[in-house]
Amino acid sequence: MKRIVDIYRKGQGGQLLWTYIVILGGNGSHPSLVDFKNEALRLAVLDNHDLIENLDAYVHLEIIQ
């Protein structure tokens, strides 16, 4: 399952930093929106966008094919 997840810096008025397409559930599991959010935040930290404490994420509800 693929979803678009936008990454924001907390306290900066919703300024978009980055967008990820996160793919989860390939093993037959049914990931929640929180799973997609956490994975995107993990990727943002790995990509050195900021510390996880300073970031927030919004998961788009539509599923990408």
Side-chain angles (χ1 to χ4, degrees), residues 2-43:
K2 297 180 194 176
R3 293 194 188 261
I4 298 171
V5 185
D6 295 330
I7 302 294
Y8 298 90
R9 188 167 284 122
K10 290 180 182 175
Q12 289 202 348
Q15 181 182 7
L16 179 65
L17 288 179
W18 201 255
T19 299
Y20 289 97
I21 296 176
V22 178
I23 303 170
L24 295 175
N27 60 357
S29 65
H30 298 283
S32 70
L33 293 179
V34 172
D35 295 328
F36 284 95
K37 177 180 178 176
N38 289 339
E39 179 63 9
L41 289 170
R42 186 186 73 78
L43 293 171

